[in-house]
Amino acid sequence: MREKIQKIRENFELEFRQFQEIDFLRLSLSDAEGLMRNLQEFKAKHTGKKSEIAEAKKLIKEIPPEERAEFGRSVQEAERQMLSLIQEAEKRLKDFIAETKIRRETLDVTIPGFRWRTGHLHPITILRQKIEDIFVSMGYAVEDDREIENDYYNFDALNIPEGHPAREAQDTFYTTKGLALRSQTSTVQIRAMERRGVPIRIIAPGKVFRNDTPDPTHVPMFHQVEGLCVDKGISMAHLKGTVAEWLRRLFGKETKIRMRPSYFPFTEPSAEFDCSCFKCSGTGIFQDEKCRPCKGTGWIELGGCGMVHPNVLKNCGVNPEIYSGFAFGFGLERMCAMLYSIDDIRLMFENDIRFLRQFR
Ligand code: DAH
């Protein structure tokens, strides 16, 4: 009989080991809950009504009277020990589960919060909108037009006939049907005059395309803003005053402009316009060193301009004897790159959030 109780104890201890050797440091909450369920099953199996110890208790009355008391005591002692071991294990697991849950639910108000990053406009869009606002406040309408053009609007109507060398400088991407991606926004001058007639005051911001290999200062698609003003009695003085005014509004009151003679097929006379460098205020020197955006010249080249060529007016059904006008055009990427000291305009098209985030 004694051996039987001994055997029961041994079986119990062997199986109970899994509840004694728990590595609480590595225990997860769900594993702890699993162990707790196992422990309840274990408890039923080893101390419940159908357990070996319960069977042993039933045997007590069959034991000869002189041995009965001792046998009874040892059965009870074995049962008591097993129950107390189980209770200790239960307590350890219960405490662990409760503590882990509390720790999980604690709120550390000192941890920095998570903030959703909101989107924002692209630097080119920001600059374009600023320029649009300035011109709208000066009485100009904003025109938008197609990016796929035929030769007539991209070249012929702009006084660039076939074989003209200016066509080559603006090589673009051709499609099979005699259409091409526009190489300049000057196309909108023609379309707008055809549509609205004169007098007219418009700017036309938009995408243009050139068959260029990308490098730090060239990309095959970029943005230009075209300006056109046609009315009776418009002169070069209006051109100069307008360019000076919008650049002052964009870069600040102190901004100066200068115009240098140049050539464009669609204007006569033609000029290029520069503005005094916004970094060194035209001195060419910034923090005792040669200023970077203007390369030490104090001036920044911005775009082309001139008085609309009579042929262009005629092509749009406008009588150059009665009307005259000025036009100008410039690229947004170069202006944006200078404003923000970006030395590679390709960055503006790579959609790298780390770069774009700086311009919100
Ligand atoms: N279309 C010219 C270009 O792409 C820029 C330009 C120059 C536009 C003079 C004009 C202008 O309207 O008058 O290089």
Side-chain angles (χ1 to χ4, degrees), residues 56-311:
K57 271 204 244 167
K58 282 182 206 152
L59 288 179
I60 296 177
K61 54 183 181 302
E62 288 163 26
I63 300 284
E66 60 278 15
E67 288 171 28
R68 196 178 292 160
E70 203 210 322
F71 180 73
R73 236 179 287 123
S74 55
V75 171
Q76 274 171 354
E77 177 63 14
E79 190 184 30
R80 196 189 56 74
Q81 282 177 3
M82 291 194 300
L83 273 173
S84 114
L85 281 169
I86 290 172
Q87 274 164 8
E88 277 170 32
E90 266 178 343
K91 185 170 172 356
R92 281 196 299 271
L93 274 171
K94 221 172 109 192
D95 288 352
F96 174 84
I97 290 169
E99 273 169 33
T100 311
K101 281 189 174 162
I102 287 173
R103 219 178 309 128
R104 267 198 195 179
E105 285 162 19
T106 340
L107 189 66
D108 182 351
V109 291
T110 64
I111 292 175
F114 175 77
R115 197 188 301 162
W116 288 104
R117 285 203 179 274
T118 48
H120 60 91
L121 296 175
H122 190 278
I124 292 290
T125 309
I126 296 173
L127 181 59
R128 193 200 76 217
Q129 290 186 343
K130 273 190 193 167
I131 292 168
E132 285 176 4
D133 283 351
I134 292 172
F135 277 100
V136 167
S137 76
M138 297 189 343
Y140 281 68
V142 179
E143 278 282 332
D144 191 14
D145 222 299
R146 63 210 74 188
E147 289 166 7
I148 300 177
E149 274 294 4
N150 57 33
D151 268 5
Y152 176 74
Y153 287 96
N154 202 59
F155 296 122
D156 298 273
L158 287 162
N159 204 30
I160 314 173
E162 220 180 322
H164 194 292
R167 285 201 181 200
E168 198 166 271
Q170 297 202 354
D171 190 19
T172 176
F173 301 95
Y174 295 88
T175 69
T176 44
K177 284 189 187 150
L179 298 172
L181 297 177
R182 68 178 179 193
S183 63
Q184 48 186 344
T185 44
S186 304
T187 53
V188 188
Q189 291 187 17
I190 311 298
R191 294 212 173 261
M193 277 195 277
E194 281 179 356
R195 206 167 30 234
R196 291 168 175 259
V198 288
I200 189 170
R201 273 200 301 253
I202 56 136
I203 58 160
K207 290 190 180 78
V208 296
F209 307 83
R210 305 255 171 113
N211 194 355
D212 282 337
T213 306
D215 68 25
T217 54
H218 294 86
V219 278
M221 186 213 76
F222 56 102
H223 298 79
Q224 284 188 335
V225 178
E226 186 79 14
L228 174 72
C229 169
V230 180
D231 205 338
K232 289 178 184 155
I234 296 293
S235 74
M236 199 95 184
H238 295 112
L239 168 61
K240 192 168 182 196
T242 304
V243 171
E245 180 58 19
W246 77 261
L247 286 172
R248 274 199 294 268
R249 292 197 195 183
L250 186 63
F251 294 132
K253 278 205 288 292
E254 291 72 37
T255 312
K256 294 189 178 50
I257 69 147
R258 77 174 182 187
M259 281 155 85
R260 291 171 287 115
S262 184
Y263 171 77
F264 297 101
F266 31 86
T267 43
E268 181 61 36
S270 302
E272 274 174 57
F273 62 95
D274 307 342
C275 73
S276 53
C277 179
F278 47 82
K279 190 134 198 185
C280 64
S281 310
T283 59
I285 295 183
F286 186 73
Q287 290 175 346
D288 294 332
E289 277 179 39
K290 191 162 114 179
C291 178
R292 281 230 314 170
C294 66
K295 303 193 185 86
T297 63
W299 294 100
I300 288 181
E301 290 178 23
L302 287 180
C305 62
M307 299 305 292
V308 181
H309 197 287
N311 286 351

